[in-house]
Amino acid sequence: MRVHDVSLSNRSFLMAAIPLLTLQTLLFMVPLGLTIVLTFQQSEYFRTVWTWDFENWADVFGKTYIWKVMWHTIKMSAITVALCLLIAFPVAYALTTRAKAYLSHVQVLIVFAFLTDAVLKTFGWVLFLDTAGALNWLVSHIGVVLPVGDYIFTDFATVLGMIYTLLPFMIFTLFLSLSNMDRDLLNAAADAGAGKWQAFWEVTLPLCRPGIWAGSVLVFLYGVGSFLEPKVLGGGKSPMAAELIRQTFETRVNWPLGAALTIVLMIICVIVVSVFTRLYSPSHFRGAKNA
């Protein structure tokens, strides 16, 4: 009787979810399909002409500049993921162990970081990194003299802005993963004679792998889509794919080429995330252990 009730509840849940799933699928697939169709059109005199050819794809695969921008985008996003992980992991670990008293304060700060407008935060970094800003003033007063413009309009400034914007995502996912970890396993490792570092590498780090995986994927995808930081902090000297797509749509008013660039960027993101998931996802490691 209980099995029958469970099957009926599951069936009713699926029947109730079908309309919502159908609607979500349509809202995703229809715009994607229209974007793909748009890639086979042409733009003449700032108007889309329905020609059905492969000229946009020939431009995408024939111009090395586009692929340099794509590679630069992946590189900058990967650097942002690595640095966010290095910064966020000690913070999340401290919040779940020795700094629990400050947990509520840090959570409030993270919420404010999510709610603060990205434009405001980015231009705040402009004031800090400018040649007449606070950073150069601090550097000059500690006896280190650097060339004018050494900070602003560089890859360093772009990565710094991306880290500042995306760091809360990494902290949040790592904190959730570490807070759900069974502390009895650490006690068992200590009873077995494992030191603190050995317990960290063999117990803590593997158990928080879901948080590392989720945080890395989130930061990477948001990093690939960043266009404000490369434009404002990079000054156009650190071009990334999202800014290139924005310029293609808005400045050049070439929607078909912009659509082709969008599809290429989506495919690259799917490939990179799939490879990372294959190599590092928790399910992959569970399958390797079972094998």
Side-chain angles (χ1 to χ4, degrees):
M1 187 66 181
R2 292 180 179 178
V3 175
H4 180 67
D5 293 338
V6 170
S7 61
L8 286 178
S9 62
N10 291 335
R11 186 179 303 174
S12 61
F13 174 78
L14 290 175
M15 293 299 295
I18 286 176
L20 181 59
L21 291 175
T22 304
L23 179 62
Q24 290 181 340
T25 303
L26 290 176
L27 291 177
F28 173 75
M29 296 302 297
V30 171
L32 180 61
L34 292 176
T35 304
I36 294 174
V37 169
L38 188 59
T39 62
F40 298 101
Q41 317 311 318
Q42 285 299 315
S43 178
E44 295 181 3
Y45 303 105
F46 306 107
R47 297 180 61 184
T48 301
V49 179
W50 298 86
T51 56
W52 298 97
D53 56 33
F54 294 88
E55 186 173 341
N56 291 311
W57 291 106
D59 289 340
V60 169
F61 288 102
K63 293 181 178 179
T64 57
Y65 170 75
I66 293 177
W67 292 101
K68 287 182 179 180
V69 172
M70 294 294 179
W71 166 246
H72 185 69
T73 301
I74 296 174
K75 181 181 71 173
M76 296 284 282
S77 301
I79 292 173
T80 302
V81 170
L83 294 177
C84 282
L85 183 60
L86 289 176
I87 298 171
F89 197 96
V91 175
Y93 187 79
L95 290 175
T96 56
T97 54
R98 299 184 179 181
K100 289 184 178 181
Y102 303 98
L103 177 59
S104 59
H105 300 83
V106 176
Q107 287 177 336
V108 171
L109 292 176
I110 293 176
V111 170
F112 273 119
F114 279 116
L115 297 178
T116 305
D117 184 64
V119 177
L120 179 63
K121 293 188 290 187
T122 303
F123 277 96
W125 279 110
V126 172
L127 297 176
F128 182 75
L129 298 173
D130 190 63
T131 54
L135 183 58
N136 277 293
W137 183 85
L138 290 173
V139 169
S140 62
H141 279 70
I142 61 176
V144 179
V145 180
L146 294 177
V148 176
D150 189 66
Y151 300 113
I152 197 68
F153 303 148
T154 60
D155 286 349
F156 166 77
T158 302
V159 170
L160 187 62
M162 293 171 62
I163 291 173
Y164 183 73
T165 302
L166 302 176
L167 186 61
F169 292 98
M170 185 68 79
I171 295 176
F172 183 72
T173 53
L174 288 175
F175 172 77
L176 290 179
S177 183
L178 288 169
S179 60
N180 292 326
M181 186 177 62
D182 188 359
R183 299 291 171 182
D184 291 336
L185 295 175
L186 294 177
N187 297 330
D191 293 338
K196 292 183 178 180
W197 281 106
Q198 185 179 3
F200 174 79
W201 285 108
E202 297 184 6
V203 179
T204 302
L205 197 60
L207 288 177
C208 68
R209 185 174 288 116
I212 296 175
W213 174 78
S216 299
V217 171
L218 275 176
V219 172
F220 178 80
L221 292 179
Y222 278 110
V224 167
S226 298
F227 68 91
L228 187 62
E229 291 83 2
K231 181 179 180 181
V232 176
L233 297 176
K237 299 179 181 179
S238 180
M240 293 181 64
E243 174 62 15
L244 177 62
I245 293 172
R246 187 200 64 82
Q247 291 178 359
T248 306
F249 273 105
E250 295 183 5
T251 305
R252 299 174 59 183
V253 198
N254 191 341
W255 286 28
L257 181 59
L261 294 174
T262 303
I263 296 299
V264 170
L265 182 60
M266 290 179 62
I267 293 174
I268 291 175
C269 289
V270 170
I271 293 174
V272 172
V273 173
S274 299
V275 171
F276 179 74
T277 302
R278 177 67 177 171
L279 296 176
Y280 196 75
S281 68
S283 60
H284 170 71
F285 279 85
R286 284 196 297 267
K289 289 181 179 180
N290 293 332

